[in-house]
Amino acid sequence: MPQLTTSEDFLLAAKHAEIAALQQLQVNCRLVGRVTELIHELQRERGLSNIYLVSDGQRYAQQRADELEVTGIAQKHFRQTLTKLSESDSLSHSTRLLSSLAFVIQCLEGIDALRAQVTARKVSATENTALYSRLITGLLTVIFEAADIADDPEITRALVALFNFVQGKEYAGQERAMGLIGFTSGSFSNTLQDKVHELLDAQERCFGIFTEFSASVPKARWHQLESCEATAELERLRKMIERYRTEDALPTSISEVWYEVATRRIDEMQSIELDMTGDLMKLCETKINSAEEDLRLHREHLKDLAEVSEPPESPLGLLPESTLNSDSNLTPGVNVKLARSISDLVQGQAERLQRISSELAEARQALDERKLIDKAKGLLIQSKGITEEEAYRHLRQAAMDSNKRIVEVAMNVISVAGMLTSN
């Protein structure tokens, strides 16, 4: 790196650093695109595998076999992106992202063994769902960490919207998987009914945050999807699950209707996802081009000003006249237009950075709140020996009882745990 000695050097170096950061962010966003692609195919594979398992291999065997090939292609694309990622500098300060990727790779290394167990029907549909969901959760964490390390507010907002949309879609995928277990077997236990209800609540939370941070077009498409006939049909099937009683008889053929309706909705979600990831890459490209153009203009502006012939004046001339004594001795050799121009550029950059910092803090709020809620859930799981779903229900009920937001209750849990630990 060349030695930086003047304000011009540092000003241009700052712009170079901004471009490099945006380029690294672009690499991470490309990874996010591949992650969403892989998640979608794993969701389909999970659903088809559940039908295959619950029907004792009588249904969807060929569809599952076809999907395994498609998922294999998505895995290959993901691996290729990891190779490009390792060749860049974008992971140099991303410890949590690296850890998330390590977890995902470990899960993927065992996916063929799980598929063989499914083919041989050596695993239950419930276990199968849990194992696939574990891998998908790891992939979702990659998206979350990519959003968490982004330092551009507009890109961060786009990543927050995308993460919550993909998370909501995963809950929709789990709902499809749980519904398949019940409809294919012809019955829904109380536990299964409760699980489906929890997944509906979880979807509502995620899509609520998505609509808060999303751009207008994906948001409009989502509202259109929620009001379409396929969603209305899905809602009627959800009512069947909610009203099911042990003495009721459910035709197992409904499982295929459930799968088709739920899949139609999830596939449309993927279409929205693809548009969002495409827009994200375009946004990165636009910002990189804009930063490079700013750098070019800065260079030209400074070069033009440096060549201006003008009587020398002291930098003290940049101060308000009221602060200067008319008899002050001026230091010769400074071009006042150049000095003022650099001062304007530095001040403009400082104001821009301040604005970006405020916008970034606002965009990161949803991510920070999620961290607090996850930490509180972890503390409740550890102290009470309950599941993650039960921990979230505990937080939600406490929030409703106290008329507070869940994140406020989470902060209280963390605070109390901290006090108990210190005593």
Side-chain angles (χ1 to χ4, degrees):
M1 181 177 179
Q3 185 176 5
L4 306 179
T5 57
T6 66
S7 54
E8 300 99 300
D9 292 337
F10 280 97
L11 191 65
L12 295 176
K15 188 57 67 175
H16 276 294
E18 179 186 347
I19 293 170
L22 286 169
Q23 289 170 335
Q24 292 175 1
L25 187 53
Q26 185 182 44
V27 173
N28 287 352
C29 289
R30 188 174 292 112
L31 170 66
V32 166
R34 290 307 189 190
V35 166
T36 61
E37 174 191 356
L38 180 54
I39 286 175
H40 181 73
E41 300 308 335
L42 287 168
Q43 288 169 333
R44 288 181 63 89
E45 183 181 329
R46 177 180 58 194
L48 291 167
S49 295
N50 278 347
I51 296 180
Y52 177 82
L53 287 168
V54 178
S55 67
D56 288 328
Q58 298 303 306
R59 293 182 183 174
Y60 282 79
Q62 186 56 53
Q63 290 94 325
R64 174 177 173 264
D66 294 341
E67 180 57 34
L68 289 177
E69 292 185 15
V70 179
T71 309
I73 294 171
Q75 283 181 241
K76 182 179 178 181
H77 289 164
F78 174 70
R79 289 280 190 178
Q80 289 171 343
T81 305
L82 286 185
T83 300
K84 293 178 182 178
L85 194 69
S86 65
E87 295 170 354
S88 74
D89 296 325
S90 59
L91 295 179
S92 55
H93 303 291
S94 313
T95 303
R96 292 196 305 271
L97 180 57
L98 283 169
S99 298
S100 300
L101 287 169
F103 175 80
V104 167
I105 292 169
Q106 183 183 39
C107 289
L108 284 173
E109 287 172 351
I111 194 73
D112 286 339
L114 173 58
R115 287 166 177 157
Q117 284 188 305
V118 172
T119 301
R121 304 197 297 282
K122 299 289 187 182
V123 62
S124 71
T126 302
E127 292 169 332
N128 178 67
T129 298
L131 290 168
Y132 272 96
S133 298
R134 181 171 177 262
L135 169 55
I136 293 171
T137 297
L139 287 163
L140 282 164
T141 303
V142 171
I143 302 177
F144 180 86
E145 296 301 344
D148 196 35
I149 61 176
D151 55 6
D152 178 276
E154 197 173 356
I155 293 175
T156 299
R157 286 186 67 87
L159 283 167
V160 169
L162 179 62
F163 168 75
N164 281 280
F165 191 83
V166 178
Q167 176 78 78
K169 177 168 164 280
E170 163 56 10
Y171 288 136
Q174 289 185 28
E175 180 195 8
R176 176 177 62 184
M178 293 299 171
L180 281 172
I181 293 173
F183 282 123
T184 307
S185 63
S187 65
F188 282 87
S189 65
N190 290 336
T191 301
L192 196 54
Q193 285 176 309
D194 289 343
K195 181 65 177 177
V196 171
H197 181 71
E198 288 171 6
L199 290 168
L200 285 172
D201 286 346
Q203 287 177 64
E204 185 177 348
R205 292 196 308 273
C206 290
F207 294 132
I209 299 173
F210 155 74
T211 54
E212 180 183 350
F213 286 89
S214 173
S216 57
V217 174
K219 189 187 304 183
R221 288 192 62 190
W222 168 245
H223 289 317
Q224 183 180 20
L225 174 60
E226 283 298 86
S227 60
C228 74
E229 178 57 32
T231 302
E233 190 175 353
L234 181 65
E235 190 60 35
R236 288 191 286 271
L237 292 169
R238 286 168 171 169
K239 290 295 183 184
M240 290 182 64
I241 297 174
E242 183 182 345
R243 295 169 182 166
Y244 175 81
R245 296 295 178 266
T246 308
E247 61 273 13
D248 295 342
L250 282 178
T252 58
S253 58
I254 297 179
S255 63
E256 295 187 16
V257 178
W258 168 266
Y259 179 78
E260 292 301 327
V261 171
T263 298
R264 215 182 313 157
R265 178 170 178 259
I266 291 172
D267 285 349
E268 185 58 33
M269 287 185 199
Q270 191 209 18
S271 176
I272 298 173
E273 268 181 16
L274 290 172
D275 284 350
M276 291 173 70
T277 53
D279 291 343
L280 184 60
M281 293 307 297
K282 289 176 185 175
L283 179 60
C284 289
E285 192 66 36
T286 298
K287 285 187 169 289
I288 291 171
N289 291 339
S290 177
E292 289 176 340
E293 178 64 10
D294 282 348
L295 176 61
R296 186 186 68 79
L297 292 175
H298 278 20
R299 281 174 171 160
E300 289 186 359
H301 191 47
L302 292 172
K303 180 181 177 183
D304 291 343
L305 286 166
E307 294 173 352
V308 172
S309 176
E310 182 179 348
E313 183 178 335
S314 168
L316 294 175
L318 301 178
L319 298 174
E321 291 183 5
S322 60
T323 64
L324 296 176
N325 185 313
S326 59
D327 296 326
S328 297
N329 294 321
L330 301 181
T331 303
V334 176
N335 182 317
V336 66
K337 285 190 176 180
L338 176 60
R340 282 178 176 157
S341 179
I342 294 172
S343 176
D344 289 344
L345 287 173
V346 170
Q347 183 176 351
Q349 180 77 340
E351 291 173 354
R352 176 174 168 274
L353 290 174
Q354 180 60 46
R355 185 181 71 255
I356 287 175
S357 179
S358 299
E359 292 173 357
L360 186 60
E362 180 184 350
R364 290 176 62 87
Q365 182 178 349
L367 297 172
D368 294 337
E369 289 183 358
R370 178 189 166 91
K371 288 180 187 176
L372 290 170
I373 293 170
D374 284 349
K375 184 174 182 180
K377 285 194 299 185
L379 291 169
L380 290 174
I381 291 169
Q382 184 177 14
S383 63
K384 296 180 179 292
I386 57 180
T387 66
E388 184 177 354
E389 290 83 1
E390 290 169 334
Y392 186 82
R393 281 204 301 271
H394 181 93
L395 293 173
R396 183 179 60 184
Q397 189 60 51
M400 292 171 61
D401 292 343
S402 59
N403 196 27
K404 293 181 178 179
R405 297 171 63 221
I406 290 181
V407 68
E408 294 177 282
V409 175
M411 291 170 68
N412 289 338
V413 170
I414 295 169
S415 177
V416 169
M419 288 188 291
L420 292 175
T421 303
S422 61
N423 290 337

